[in-house]
Amino acid sequence: MKKNRFGFPENHLNSETRKKLHLENEILRIKLKAQTGSDLQHDGGALPPEIEHIFLKNILEFEESVAHCALIRLYDYIDRPPYPAPGKLGDEELEKALSDLTDALFRKNITVDFGTLPDNRSKYLFIIQELFPQEINDIRIGSMFLHFQYEEFHPNHEKDMRARTMEFISDWFERTMGKFSWELAFQCALPDGSILPRQEVLKKFRVIFEAFTGFTDCQYLVRNVHFEVRENEMKGVGHVEGAVKYNALLENGEQKFIEGPFKLFMAMEDNCWRIFYFVFPGFEW
C-alpha cells in the first residue's frame, strides 16, 4: 500500500468520506481562528484527514476547556491522596510512598521529571512541598498529559548553557544548523549594534557548509561558563568559552585544518537560554 511521507497509508478512505472530512477540518480551523486567533495551516494534504481531524478536535477541546476552567491546587486535582510524613519513613517505606504518589499523579495524566534530584527523599519532598501547592487549570482531557520538571522550579543555568553549547557544536560539526536549531535566538545582536534575523544567520551557515563536504577529527573543550541572572524577572545574560579543532574537507579531497577559541553569548528569557551572538572558528559574519 502506498504511503505518504508521514508513513500513513494513502487513499484508505473513499472519496466522499475524504471530502466530508476535509470540509469538517476547514470548519474546525475557522472555529479555532475565531475563538483563539490561532491560524493552523495544513501541510498540503500530506497528513491524512482523519488524523488531522483528531488533532484539530483535541486543540479545540483544549482551548474551550482553558477558556472556562477554574484554577485548582494540584493536590486537589488528584483527589487528595493520603501520604505519610517523610520524617517517619525509612528508606524502603519512602521508596514505596514515592511510588504511590507518582502512580497517583500518573492516573491523573501528570508526570514528573526529577532532573538532578539525587535521592528518593528529595523527590518525595519536591512532590509534597512544591508540586502539591501548585495551582493548575482544572482541565480533564483524557489524551492530555501535564508534565512538570524539577529544573522549572530550580533552574540549573550552567547545565542549560552547556547543553545549548553542545547543541551548537554538534550542529556545526554535523553541518545540520537549520530551522530546528533552537539553541539560536530569533535575532542575533552584532557588535556594531545591528540586528540580524535568525533566517539570515542560517543562510550564512548554509554558505559555509556548502563550501565543504564534511568535517572530521572534531574535538572541543569547554573552559568557562559565566552568567548573571535576575531570578525575579526570569532574565539573564552570559557566555560560554572554549576551543575547537577539526579538519574541513574540500570537494577536491584536500583538508583544511581549523582550530581556535570560541565564545557563545547567550540571553535568557522565560527561563530559556539562547545564543544571540558567537565567535566560532570557521564562521565569518
Side-chain angles (χ1 to χ4, degrees), residues 166 169 219-224 240-245 262:
M166 294 303 100
I169 291 175
Q219 298 182 48
Y220 69 88
L221 172 67
V222 176
R223 291 198 177 100
N224 179 47
V240 178
E241 295 177 284
V244 296
K245 61 180 180 179
F262 70 79

Side-chain angles (χ1 to χ4, degrees), residues 111-175:
T111 61
V112 183
D113 180 352
F114 294 106
T116 56
L117 282 174
D119 52 59
N120 288 336
R121 193 169 299 275
S122 299
K123 296 172 183 177
Y124 192 77
L125 290 172
F126 174 62
I127 290 176
I128 65 175
Q129 294 179 355
E130 299 193 60
L131 285 190
F132 278 173
Q134 287 293 309
E135 288 191 333
I136 63 173
N137 291 317
D138 191 7
I139 301 173
R140 302 173 192 269
I141 299 175
S143 59
M144 187 189 78
F145 274 77
L146 186 60
H147 184 67
F148 287 96
Q149 291 182 302
Y150 175 74
E151 274 76 17
E152 291 178 352
F153 293 77
H154 304 278
N156 187 330
H157 299 299
E158 180 172 346
K159 177 185 173 183
D160 291 344
M161 293 174 71
R162 285 181 178 272
R164 299 297 84 73
T165 300
M166 294 303 100
E167 291 164 7
F168 182 94
I169 291 175
S170 176
D171 278 340
W172 177 268
F173 285 157
E174 296 176 12
R175 302 189 304 142

Side-chain angles (χ1 to χ4, degrees), residues 19-200:
K19 187 180 296 185
K20 181 180 178 182
L21 272 175
H22 278 305
L23 179 60
E24 290 179 358
N25 290 345
E26 287 299 327
I27 293 172
L28 285 173
R29 268 192 218 91
I30 293 171
K31 190 173 182 180
L32 267 170
K33 187 172 183 179
Q35 291 186 5
T36 69
S38 301
D39 189 9
L40 297 176
Q41 300 296 324
H42 57 91
D43 193 4
L47 195 66
E50 68 273 28
I51 302 298
E52 185 180 15
H53 190 72
I54 295 171
F55 173 71
L56 291 170
K57 284 186 69 176
N58 283 342
I59 293 179
L60 186 60
E61 183 181 359
F62 174 77
E63 293 290 352
E64 289 177 342
S65 298
V66 169
H68 300 96
C69 74
L71 290 176
I72 184 173
R73 284 199 317 157
L74 187 142
Y75 186 52
D76 296 324
Y77 185 89
I78 64 172
D79 300 328
R80 303 178 63 84
Y83 59 88
K88 299 179 179 180
L89 300 175
D91 290 343
E92 291 187 5
E93 295 171 314
L94 186 67
E95 184 176 0
K96 182 182 183 305
L98 176 62
S99 178
D100 290 343
L101 283 188
T102 54
D103 287 346
L105 290 165
F106 190 77
R107 285 194 294 271
K108 294 298 182 179
N109 289 12
I110 298 173
T111 61
V112 183
D113 180 352
F114 294 106
T116 56
L117 282 174
D119 52 59
N120 288 336
R121 193 169 299 275
S122 299
K123 296 172 183 177
Y124 192 77
L125 290 172
F126 174 62
I127 290 176
I128 65 175
Q129 294 179 355
E130 299 193 60
L131 285 190
F132 278 173
Q134 287 293 309
E135 288 191 333
I136 63 173
N137 291 317
D138 191 7
I139 301 173
R140 302 173 192 269
I141 299 175
S143 59
M144 187 189 78
F145 274 77
L146 186 60
H147 184 67
F148 287 96
Q149 291 182 302
Y150 175 74
E151 274 76 17
E152 291 178 352
F153 293 77
H154 304 278
N156 187 330
H157 299 299
E158 180 172 346
K159 177 185 173 183
D160 291 344
M161 293 174 71
R162 285 181 178 272
R164 299 297 84 73
T165 300
M166 294 303 100
E167 291 164 7
F168 182 94
I169 291 175
S170 176
D171 278 340
W172 177 268
F173 285 157
E174 296 176 12
R175 302 189 304 142
T176 54
M177 197 73 71
K179 64 180 180 179
F180 297 115
S181 299
W182 301 117
E183 68 269 24
L184 295 177
F186 294 103
Q187 292 184 324
C188 283
L190 276 58
D192 63 3
S194 60
I195 300 296
L196 199 61
R198 172 192 176 94
Q199 290 302 320
E200 295 302 315

